Amino acid sequence: MKTNKLLKHPNQIRTYFKAEIPLLIIVTISGLIYNIGMLAGPYFEGQLAQCLYDITRNKATWHDMWILALFYVFVIALVQIARAIKRFGVRRFANDISRSMRRNLYNSLVHRPQETDLGSLLTNAIADVDVCAEGIRKFTTELFDTGVVMIAYVCMLLHYDWKLTILCCLFTPIAYLVANQMKNVITLANAAYKQSASDLSRMTMDRIENSLTYRVYGREQNRDAAYEKALSDYERKSAKANLFEGSLTPLYDAIAMLGAVMILYFGGKNVMGTGWIRWNLAAFTTFLACFTKLAVKTSHAAKLFNAVQKAEVSWKRIQPLMEEPIEDDFQADEVPFTPVTLSFDHVSIGSLLQDITFTAKPGEIIGITGEVASGKSVLGKILIGEVDYAGSITLNGKEFRDLSENEKISYISYMGHDPQLLSVSFADNIQLGTNVSAQPYLELTDLDTDLKNRSIAESIGDAGSMLSGGQQARLALARTLAHARSILILDDPFAAVDKNTETKVLKNIRKTFPEHTILLISHRLYHFPSFSHVLYLHDHTGTFLTHADMLKQEVGYKKLFEGSDRHDEK
């Protein structure tokens, strides 16, 4: 399956299975070989027991035992190879489904009306996607490891003694009936646990974001008491849900294994020649081993019901969000790179900035700085359509306001002052659902050094809460560079980054993007002398000169530069 494709009918589970048919064929073939091959275990165990018995009676030799054992090892090796192929295929299948669900979920949330708490909604939805994918993985695994092998075991049991098979297997349906009766209880317990977890998360964020308000109005104790109540409710419902899931497996095992009593009694009669059919020691050992494995698989199947019920709860929560995909008619990543000359001609932004004029050519880095609230960030937002302007802005001679939205997107890559990270993994934050490789951009921004003991598939926490400020800024920069267009607008990309790291990252950017037009907005001026030009914003206007000329003509810029240099030295 192509990893960049949005699936039609994403609110139907069968959609995700259909998309993985080639992989499921491989899983099916290897799964059948493995699980039918599992019959070799009980069969050879019986033959080895019979051979040992025959040796004691001088009807066989140790050489016969060695030959039988070697053949057993050879068959089991082939079966385990098929098992490895099947397990890899199932894991890949589950990962593909998780990726497809996430991609369709992102698409749905991006194109729906803005939610008041989109971050919390996305975080909870991603957790539910993981539960769904895990449930599907377990279902697919157990379909073969339990379903197919159980049929194979039953067939072998019927071959040896169909009457005893029916008798001892009567307890298996009872285990399933118990599991089915517990289904609703487990579903309700998990639903209550999920709801309690969501409520606790909401109250935690409320307590953090509104702590000052509660303190000012003297409501801290009241909110603390409510939070403690929610925490206790979460702990109680979590324990209840885990108790139901964990404690029922021994019950299933005990019920299913009651059939072993029948085998010991009636199977013993078969060996003694007084039962329904005449057995030797090999037949008795094989039958008992086969039934024991069948009983264990029965408990796995019952446990599978619990996992499927958990996945069903999560699926019901995210299904309304899995809307039909909206295919954007334009993909900026597919547009060939074109060097762009950017020109501002007497551009004004209300009363904040007046008469801004400058030209930035391909391969140039323009440093933009000024005092606090001078309009640095606002200037960058013009080119992403967030700020209206007067005057003229052209890209390769084309008036910016006359370009279509698709054309504007094809030219501009923007990193804002606020990183706006997603509550997902490092890789997902950089890739944003595309096929771009995340690792090179982690290296480009020197984040790979920070991640030596971490995986790029690891979550960064709620909006990057598990990262430092500098790491958040560099991850946002890595994402921007991974989707670099002709013009890069970087607003304070080196926030909370030391001078050595800033120098290294800037060197990497120059080397990797030699023909891009770069506007670098910053209050840190250490590297401004190496930039092509500087745009200094002051007194509601701007001066555009080289760094050397700016030092000579603008006293305010000189103070900023010298102050920034002293700060960096500290």
Side-chain angles (χ1 to χ4, degrees):
M1 184 183 81
K2 292 183 178 180
T3 57
N4 62 344
K5 184 178 180 181
L6 292 170
L7 299 181
K8 300 294 184 181
H9 312 300
N11 61 342
Q12 300 176 10
I13 286 291
R14 64 173 177 268
T15 296
Y16 302 95
F17 281 87
K18 287 181 179 179
E20 299 293 334
I21 287 178
L23 187 57
L24 285 175
I25 291 175
I26 296 175
V27 170
T28 300
I29 295 174
S30 57
L32 288 173
I33 294 174
Y34 163 58
N35 288 287
I36 294 176
M38 290 291 287
L39 294 176
Y43 173 77
F44 278 104
E45 288 172 15
Q47 294 300 315
L48 288 169
Q50 183 65 48
C51 185
L52 181 61
Y53 178 68
D54 289 342
I55 289 174
T56 62
R57 300 173 61 194
N58 295 320
K59 291 184 177 182
T61 65
W62 287 106
H63 180 266
D64 298 327
M65 177 72 82
W66 277 108
I67 295 298
L68 190 60
L70 288 174
F71 192 59
Y72 180 27
V73 171
F74 175 74
V75 172
I76 292 299
L78 293 179
V79 170
Q80 291 302 317
I81 291 173
R83 180 193 184 195
I85 296 173
K86 191 266 302 180
R87 287 175 65 89
F88 174 80
V90 169
R91 180 61 66 179
R92 175 66 181 273
F93 168 65
N95 289 342
D96 286 349
I97 283 184
S98 176
R99 185 164 52 245
S100 297
M101 284 186 173
R102 289 183 181 218
R103 185 172 299 106
N104 279 275
L105 179 64
Y106 295 155
N107 179 269
S108 176
L109 293 179
V110 165
H111 290 94
R112 66 165 32 204
Q114 184 67 35
E115 297 282 346
T116 56
D117 193 9
L118 184 60
S120 177
L121 174 64
L122 180 60
T123 300
N124 292 331
I126 290 299
D128 284 326
V129 165
D130 291 338
V131 173
C132 287
E134 180 63 11
I136 291 174
R137 184 192 68 79
K138 287 184 177 180
F139 172 79
T140 307
T141 299
E142 298 302 333
L143 179 65
F144 293 100
D145 289 1
T146 300
V148 173
V149 78
M150 283 179 64
I151 294 173
Y153 284 150
V154 169
C155 290
M156 177 172 274
L157 292 175
L158 290 171
H159 171 72
Y160 279 93
D161 188 338
W162 67 271
K163 292 181 181 179
L164 183 54
T165 299
I166 294 174
L167 185 62
C168 67
C169 287
L170 285 176
F171 297 96
T172 300
I174 296 176
Y176 280 113
L177 288 174
V178 172
N180 189 59
Q181 289 298 317
M182 295 300 296
K183 177 178 67 176
N184 292 334
V185 177
I186 294 172
T187 300
L188 291 175
N190 276 286
Y193 162 62
K194 286 279 187 179
Q195 183 60 49
S196 181
S198 178
D199 292 342
L200 181 63
S201 177
R202 176 179 53 79
M203 291 192 68
T204 301
M205 295 306 299
D206 172 73
R207 192 67 183 84
I208 295 172
E209 294 174 354
N210 302 311
S211 59
L212 180 60
T213 300
Y214 293 136
R215 187 180 303 118
V216 169
Y217 289 93
R219 303 299 295 170
E220 285 186 297
Q221 291 186 353
N222 176 271
R223 298 314 300 165
D224 287 345
Y227 182 81
E228 287 296 330
K229 183 179 179 180
L231 181 60
S232 298
D233 182 73
Y234 166 78
E235 291 173 345
R236 184 173 62 256
K237 290 178 178 177
S238 173
K240 183 178 180 181
N242 291 328
L243 176 65
F244 278 126
E245 184 178 1
S247 63
L248 292 178
T249 299
L251 176 62
Y252 301 146
D253 288 340
I255 295 173
M257 284 300 294
L258 288 176
V261 178
M262 302 296 175
I263 297 175
L264 293 174
Y265 180 75
F266 291 102
K269 285 191 171 185
N270 287 347
V271 174
M272 298 299 294
T274 59
W276 292 307
I277 194 170
R278 190 172 186 83
W279 278 358
N280 58 13
L281 184 62
F284 177 83
T285 304
T286 299
F287 195 94
L288 181 60
C290 200
F291 174 78
T292 302
K293 294 180 183 296
L294 175 63
V296 172
K297 289 299 180 181
T298 298
S299 68
H300 288 181
K303 187 177 180 180
L304 173 63
F305 290 159
N306 299 344
V308 171
Q309 292 306 315
K310 289 180 65 176
E312 184 179 357
V313 172
S314 293
W315 175 248
K316 287 180 179 179
R317 287 159 60 98
I318 63 173
Q319 189 175 22
L321 303 176
M322 306 295 277
E323 299 172 354
E324 285 296 311
I326 298 175
E327 298 285 355
D328 295 322
D329 58 355
F330 173 79
Q331 292 292 332
D333 289 328
E334 298 175 358
V335 177
F337 169 76
T338 302
V340 170
T341 296
L342 170 68
S343 295
F344 276 54
D345 187 13
H346 301 289
V347 172
S348 298
I349 307 172
S351 60
L352 179 62
L353 289 173
Q354 301 287 325
D355 200 30
I356 304 298
T357 299
F358 70 91
T359 297
K361 299 178 181 179
E364 291 186 341
I365 299 181
I366 307 301
I368 301 176
T369 192
E371 296 287 355
V372 176
S374 60
K376 301 186 294 293
S377 294
V378 174
L379 189 69
K381 290 182 178 180
I382 290 178
L383 295 175
I384 59 172
E386 286 198 7
V387 178
D388 293 329
Y389 68 94
S392 175
I393 299 177
T394 60
L395 280 64
N396 282 347
K398 299 179 181 178
E399 180 60 42
F400 182 73
R401 61 167 56 90
D402 294 338
L403 298 176
S404 67
E405 288 301 315
N406 290 340
E407 288 178 306
K408 292 176 182 178
I409 294 174
S410 70
Y411 285 122
I412 309 296
S413 286
Y414 175 81
M415 172 190 166
H417 189 271
D418 180 3
Q420 294 188 335
L421 300 175
L422 302 177
S423 304
V424 289
S425 68
F426 290 92
D428 287 337
N429 266 283
I430 293 175
Q431 293 170 328
L432 294 179
T434 67
N435 289 324
V436 65
S437 175
Q439 187 62 36
Y441 298 97
L442 291 173
E443 297 173 359
L444 195 152
T445 55
D446 201 39
L447 261 177
D448 61 318
T449 303
D450 299 53
L451 298 180
K452 283 184 177 179
N453 299 319
R454 302 177 69 176
S455 167
I456 63 173
E458 180 181 331
S459 172
I460 64 170
D462 187 11
S465 59
M466 296 175 64
L467 305 180
S468 66
Q471 290 172 332
Q472 291 179 6
R474 281 184 288 154
L475 182 57
L477 177 60
R479 177 176 61 193
T480 303
L481 298 179
H483 305 277
R485 321 282 196 258
S486 302
I487 299 174
L488 294 174
I489 304 171
L490 309 178
D491 191 349
D492 206 11
F494 305 116
V497 175
D498 63 85
K499 185 188 295 185
N500 291 335
T501 302
E502 179 179 350
T503 301
K504 183 177 180 180
V505 174
L506 188 59
K507 180 180 178 181
N508 291 339
I509 292 176
R510 289 180 183 274
K511 181 179 179 180
T512 308
F513 305 98
E515 297 184 46
H516 288 66
T517 304
I518 302 176
L519 304 185
L520 198 154
I521 304 168
S522 181
H523 63 279
R524 299 169 53 141
L525 311 184
Y526 176 74
H527 288 288
F528 271 48
S530 66
F531 293 170
S532 306
H533 290 84
V534 174
L535 177 62
Y536 170 51
L537 303 180
H538 60 97
D539 303 320
H540 302 290
T541 188
T543 302
F544 185 70
L545 296 168
T546 63
H547 169 76
D549 290 340
M550 194 74 76
L551 288 176
K552 297 176 183 178
Q553 297 186 27
E554 292 292 344
V555 176
Y557 176 78
K558 184 176 182 180
K559 290 182 178 179
L560 279 179
F561 178 71
E562 292 175 347
S564 175
D565 190 49
R566 285 195 297 271
H567 176 74
D568 286 336
E569 288 177 356
K570 294 178 183 179

